[in-house]
Amino acid sequence: MKSIVVTIFGLILIQAASSQSRINIIPKPEQVVEKSGEFTYNQKIRIYASKEFRSIALLLAEMMKVPAGQILIHKKGTEVPTGAVLIEKANTPSNDSAAYTLDISKQHIHIKSLGYAGAINAMQSLVQVILTNNDEGKIPCAEIVDKPRFGYRGLMIDVSRHFFPPSFIKKMIDLIGLYKINTLHLHLTDAAGWRIQIKKYPKLTQQAAWRNGNSWKSWWNADRSYSTEGEPSASGGYYTQEDAKDIVAYAKVRGITIIPEIEMPGHTDEVIAAYPHLGCVGNNGKQGEFCLGNDSTFIFMQDVITELLDIFPSTYIHIGGDEAGKSNWEKCSKCQKRIKDNNLKDAFELQSYAIRRMEKFIASKGRQLLGWDEILEGGLAPGARVMSWRGEQGGIEAARMGHDVIMTPGAFCYFDKYQQEPSSEPEAIGGFLPLQQVYAYEPMPAELEKDKQQFIKGAQANVWTEYIPTMEHLEYMVFPRIIALSETVWSYREKMSWKDFQSRLLKHYAILQKYTVNYCRPSDRVGISPVINIEKKTATITLNTEQFNPDIRYTTDGSIPSLNSLRYNGPFEINGSAMVKAGVLRSGKIAQLPDTLPINFHKAVGKKVNYNINYDNSYPAQKETTLTNGYRGSITYQDGQWQGFTKNMDITIDLGSTEKLSNVQSTFMQIIGPGVYLPDFIDVSISTDGSKFEPAGKSLNDISPTVSTLLFKTFKVDLTGKEGRYIRFFAKHHDGYLFADEVIVE
Ligand code: ACM
């Protein structure tokens, strides 16, 4: 391996060793002992299995192209001939039914597990070993002992915003099963379409499953109208109950539970359109929430759930609960009567009343209600389980009250975000969640008390599909990020390393290719991360990419890096201002346009900023230091360097003494999906005493607020010949959020 010869970094030598390993299972097993030699087999191989594991033997046989006739039921205690596979039920190695041992020797392959889940997990490990060692007929010897850290390892697919057919859902089940994801949560209803047949309410699938508008975006931006099955322009679809039962059975064999979600009380526009009597008084069929003063709403939900219980045997039944608007309830006479009759305080308690009622119903059927973390508002129902999506706080709060929690915080688990440089990707809803950030996710909140940690059951990735109209696109958003998440929910932190994961992942791209998965290819983009020392005017720069052991070349003077530029061997220090450019070298050339980071120790670095209007508390970034700390924001406003404003940005920088000035500038971003806009203009004035300000110049926005791709614009005002100590910087808020990273004074 040429790339490691010159380095003195032990870490990289270790990586090289692991990349030569023949066992590259993801998620990382608890214990792997690699052995010399191989188990060799041909199509005559026999697979013995305990009776309850026969369907697992069938899956393995199909994968190994072994005829089903060679699967034999194993009687406990009997010998198995040399050269066979044995999948055996055992009371060891542990009392965790998902735990397993997998012993691959020259003589046999022996799987032992107490439960079906463990035997499936073992089989998937074996399949990975086979698929990542492409020498057919030879499997490298090893002893593997393994069990999961978390019992709930999930993926949610929003099949409402765009419908995905059963065949595709089965493909996803096959793929996520390979990575020991054991729960598939289907978001079956939302404003954009109802996706499950309910026999008692046929209009849900005759009408509410169909809309005018092929893509969610075109529908959302038009009149958001619905259609009827069979109309030429109708777009949508649904799962019949038979389809859904078939999916559930298919998943079960593969160790995966399907959780159905029916949204209530919000995100129900399509239901109200089909059944206007479920909306508030005077709704005209156009409303996004159920009327909660109306008993028909509860009868409807109970009827729907009753039919669901027959299809989906999952313990958890998800009732949504998120983002319900309260304004209709405040105006509706029936909702107001319900509030009064039940001594409720407000609309939040009304929502809580509705969830409690559903919780009681679901519990009476022996199941458990699961909902998004808004179900905490107005008081959590006694037996409810919580999916924490607005950060981790809801999950922490619920766990402290002794309720089970699934972690799905947006910053780590929302796979509808960009994962690479947005201009290189299909349009997404916004945000930025690269592979490494998924891998960095730790589902157990550090602040949660030890005795409450048992309530964190695991974590889940969510794929909201507003911007994901096709199966190929959905695959792109899920892979490889779900592979990274699989390790964060299965493996113990102390066994995990990003470099080791990257090295194992290299072997898995071939699996994704074999199964024609349109995965997101590892990017050549170089992330340039500084640690800035304001006093010394130095910066320590770290470079990283999604490539494994890349040859990165960089410059610090703004020139384009090439074969002759410095090679990156680890963090380096720069003195004073610099323009860092870096790129991945491949076949003697930089693989794409180099990435750039300016380090600018300008006149305002480290200087005090006074806020004439405060920043928004949801996006404080580094609070008062953000705009003069020398750090630039990256491509996401969630990186802790972009400060958000929901009103005008109006600050005054105190340089500490009067200085000769040449210009002032700041960069803003626009991404209109999540409501982030450039300012209409910036306006700068300067002062020597802090009370009398002279206008110094304006810079107008010339980019339309309808441009929907992520973009950045630097607004600059020339100050040549001017002097001042105080700089007042004003940016006119357009709409939604305004984000700024640094105000540069030169
Ligand atoms: C959600 O993202 N509204 C749960």
Side-chain angles (χ1 to χ4, degrees):
M1 289 196 60
K2 190 160 157 263
S3 61
I4 60 148
V5 174
V6 294
T7 181
I8 53 163
F9 290 90
L11 183 66
I12 294 177
L13 291 166
I14 290 164
Q15 290 159 20
S18 76
S19 73
Q20 282 156 9
S21 163
R22 300 191 297 174
I23 305 295
N24 290 285
I25 296 168
I26 299 177
K28 181 99 172 161
E30 185 169 79
Q31 198 182 310
V32 175
V33 180
E34 296 202 31
K35 299 274 170 82
S36 62
E38 290 97 23
F39 174 88
T40 55
Y41 71 97
N42 59 30
Q43 264 52 67
K44 296 206 183 96
I45 188 175
R46 292 179 172 210
I47 303 175
Y48 291 80
S50 304
K51 208 161 139 205
E52 52 271 77
F53 297 159
R54 185 177 149 77
S55 52
I56 298 172
L58 272 166
L59 290 176
L60 181 64
E62 193 181 319
M63 191 269 146
M64 291 171 84
K65 303 189 186 74
V66 172
Q70 285 157 229
I71 297 170
L72 302 161
I73 297 299
H74 176 247
K75 279 214 198 72
K76 199 150 186 66
T78 58
E79 285 279 316
V80 166
T82 298
V85 177
L86 171 60
I87 308 175
E88 185 182 18
K89 179 161 168 66
N91 291 323
T92 53
S94 100
N95 58 7
D96 179 345
S97 67
Y100 69 90
T101 60
L102 166 60
D103 178 15
I104 308 169
S105 72
K106 289 178 193 162
Q107 290 76 34
H108 63 235
I109 294 178
H110 193 171
I111 285 170
K112 270 196 200 173
S113 172
L114 183 64
Y116 191 89
I120 270 283
N121 290 329
M123 192 228 28
Q124 299 290 19
S125 288
L126 175 60
V127 168
Q128 286 195 8
V129 175
I130 295 171
L131 291 176
T132 54
N133 288 275
N134 49 16
D135 189 359
E136 280 189 15
K138 282 187 184 170
I139 306 175
C141 294
E143 280 178 28
I144 295 160
V145 179
D146 200 9
K147 66 172 188 302
R149 180 179 173 204
F150 291 103
Y152 185 110
R153 305 177 298 279
L155 172 70
M156 185 219 72
I157 303 178
D158 167 7
V159 294
S160 175
R161 268 54 174 264
H162 288 102
F163 179 66
F164 297 90
S167 56
F168 179 72
I169 298 297
K170 287 183 179 176
K171 180 179 181 185
M172 296 303 284
I173 287 169
D174 284 339
L175 289 164
I176 64 175
L178 189 55
Y179 294 95
K180 303 188 178 81
I181 297 294
N182 67 355
T183 309
L184 178 64
H185 161 186
L186 294 177
H187 185 74
L188 291 165
T189 71
D190 210 304
W194 181 281
R195 306 299 180 206
I196 180 83
Q197 178 190 23
I198 301 295
K199 292 182 177 161
K200 206 161 184 176
Y201 297 90
K203 281 201 260 177
L204 290 173
T205 40
Q206 289 162 357
Q207 295 179 14
W210 306 94
R211 65 178 181 234
N212 294 309
N214 228 334
S215 76
W216 177 88
K217 191 178 167 186
S218 62
W219 173 76
W220 190 255
N221 290 334
D223 63 355
R224 301 181 197 175
S225 62
Y226 298 95
S227 187
T228 305
E229 184 167 21
E231 283 295 313
S233 60
S235 177
Y238 59 90
Y239 307 113
T240 64
Q241 295 199 353
E242 287 313 305
D243 289 338
K245 283 180 182 163
D246 182 47
I247 289 170
V248 166
Y250 188 87
K252 186 176 177 211
V253 171
R254 288 154 181 81
I256 294 174
T257 301
I258 309 283
I259 295 183
E261 178 185 354
I262 301 292
E263 276 274 19
M264 76 157 295
H267 290 274
T268 58
D269 312 56
E270 84 281 43
V271 184
I272 312 286
Y275 292 102
H277 75 283
L278 299 176
C280 286
V281 173
N283 71 81
N284 292 331
K286 283 194 187 302
Q287 185 172 314
E289 309 80 31
F290 287 125
C291 173
L292 297 182
N294 192 343
D295 279 332
S296 305
T297 294
F298 295 95
I299 294 166
F300 170 83
M301 278 303 289
Q302 291 180 8
D303 287 343
V304 167
I305 286 172
T306 300
E307 290 195 31
L308 287 188
L309 296 178
D310 265 355
I311 307 167
F312 299 97
S314 60
T315 305
Y316 291 144
I317 300 294
H318 204 307
I319 52 74
D322 59 320
E323 300 178 315
K326 311 285 186 290
S327 62
N328 286 311
W329 303 338
E330 274 151 11
K331 290 182 295 212
C332 169
S333 54
K334 284 189 183 174
C335 289
Q336 287 306 311
K337 182 168 183 318
R338 177 86 73 197
I339 287 178
K340 202 157 156 247
D341 290 352
N342 290 277
N343 292 320
L344 306 174
K345 206 166 69 210
D346 52 20
F348 288 94
E349 288 199 359
L350 178 61
Q351 156 141 342
S352 170
Y353 163 89
I355 305 290
R356 281 169 195 269
R357 221 169 131 166
M358 291 318 301
E359 194 275 325
K360 225 178 188 166
F361 177 75
I362 289 170
S364 78
K365 306 288 179 191
R367 310 290 184 94
Q368 295 170 358
L369 176 144
L370 181 59
W372 302 108
D373 58 48
E374 284 93 334
I375 67 171
L376 283 151
E377 293 166 0
L380 190 56
R385 272 70 175 165
V386 174
M387 240 175 210
S388 188
W389 73 280
R390 297 176 301 177
E392 296 182 310
Q393 215 44 50
I396 291 168
E397 205 182 308
R400 284 186 175 144
M401 293 191 282
H403 293 249
D404 288 352
V405 169
I406 313 299
M407 285 294 189
T408 65
F412 297 96
C413 296
Y414 269 44
F415 287 6
D416 53 346
K417 296 181 179 185
Y418 289 104
Q419 53 197 313
Q420 292 182 351
E421 168 64 47
S423 61
S424 72
E425 298 211 286
E427 184 181 8
I429 198 161
F432 185 53
L433 178 53
L435 188 65
Q436 192 170 1
Q437 188 165 327
V438 177
Y439 193 77
Y441 179 50
E442 165 52 50
M444 188 61 71
E447 67 199 88
L448 189 62
E449 298 74 15
K450 271 228 143 43
D451 65 327
K452 298 293 187 284
Q453 292 183 358
Q454 58 180 302
F455 297 112
I456 306 295
K457 297 299 176 192
Q460 172 173 293
N462 295 332
V463 197
W464 302 100
T465 59
E466 287 96 328
Y467 290 82
I468 307 177
T470 67
M471 296 178 268
E472 290 74 18
H473 190 176
L474 195 131
E475 289 176 4
Y476 177 89
M477 301 306 268
V478 171
F479 293 94
R481 288 190 285 196
I482 194 69
I483 301 180
L485 189 89
S486 82
E487 192 147 304
T488 73
V489 284
W490 177 280
S491 307
Y492 286 81
R493 264 292 129 189
E494 59 275 15
K495 303 260 176 191
M496 290 171 61
S497 129
W498 166 244
K499 277 286 168 197
D500 175 55
F501 171 77
Q502 274 190 306
S503 123
R504 278 176 289 125
L505 181 59
L506 284 183
K507 303 280 199 275
H508 288 254
Y509 292 124
I511 301 180
L512 299 180
Q513 288 165 17
K514 179 182 164 75
Y515 292 127
T516 60
V517 178
N518 179 39
Y519 66 93
C520 176
R521 268 65 183 174
S523 167
D524 281 325
R525 182 175 171 269
V526 180
I528 308 174
S529 315
V531 176
I532 291 175
N533 185 320
I534 291 178
E535 280 73 43
K536 291 205 261 170
K537 288 196 167 48
T538 61
T540 304
I541 307 288
T542 303
L543 307 180
N544 83 321
T545 85
E546 289 182 355
Q547 303 293 337
F548 182 66
N549 280 350
D551 183 347
I552 303 176
R553 303 298 170 120
Y554 69 93
T555 63
T556 57
D557 61 0
S559 62
I560 305 285
S562 68
L563 176 64
N564 301 320
S565 304
L566 288 169
R567 184 177 167 173
Y568 180 69
N569 284 322
F572 59 91
E573 191 168 283
I574 52 175
N575 283 300
S577 296
M579 183 68 79
V580 182
K581 282 188 183 285
V584 172
L585 192 76
R586 191 173 295 124
S587 311
K589 286 206 181 78
I590 296 295
Q592 62 170 46
L593 271 182
D595 293 277
T596 301
L597 181 75
I599 301 289
N600 189 346
F601 291 99
H602 55 90
K603 288 190 165 71
V605 168
K607 298 294 161 61
K608 187 168 165 38
V609 175
N610 290 304
Y611 287 79
N612 306 314
I613 300 174
N614 210 353
Y615 51 82
D616 184 75
N617 278 326
S618 304
Y619 292 96
Q622 307 304 311
K623 301 186 177 162
E624 278 68 19
T625 66
T626 307
L627 298 172
T628 53
N629 64 2
Y631 286 88
R632 302 304 305 272
S634 67
I635 56 179
T636 169
Y637 53 78
Q638 286 162 326
D639 67 1
Q641 294 303 335
W642 287 101
Q643 190 162 65
F645 298 84
T646 47
K647 303 188 183 98
N648 295 329
M649 171 181 173
D650 186 355
I651 59 163
T652 306
I653 301 169
D654 179 359
L655 298 178
S657 59
T658 297
E659 306 229 19
K660 279 199 169 61
L661 303 169
S662 61
N663 67 72
V664 59
Q665 56 184 292
S666 185
T667 300
F668 295 84
M669 75 157 70
Q670 178 161 299
I671 173 128
I672 67 175
V676 178
Y677 293 91
L678 296 173
D680 292 329
F681 60 84
I682 68 155
D683 189 345
V684 174
S685 47
I686 54 180
S687 163
T688 49
D689 62 6
S691 61
K692 221 174 96 226
F693 281 82
E694 296 286 340
K698 253 182 152 177
S699 172
L700 302 182
N701 182 20
D702 56 2
I703 294 176
S704 163
T706 61
V707 178
S708 64
T709 49
L710 172 69
L711 61 89
F712 300 87
K713 178 177 166 65
T714 300
F715 291 72
K716 187 170 182 176
V717 169
D718 184 35
L719 302 177
T720 311
K722 296 192 166 76
E723 290 189 356
R725 169 174 167 174
Y726 300 92
I727 312 225
R728 185 165 182 179
F729 185 98
F730 177 91
K732 179 83 176 84
H733 176 255
H734 178 80
D735 193 8
Y737 277 96
L738 184 70
F739 277 104
D741 61 343
E742 183 85 353
V743 177
I744 296 166
V745 180
E746 294 177 315

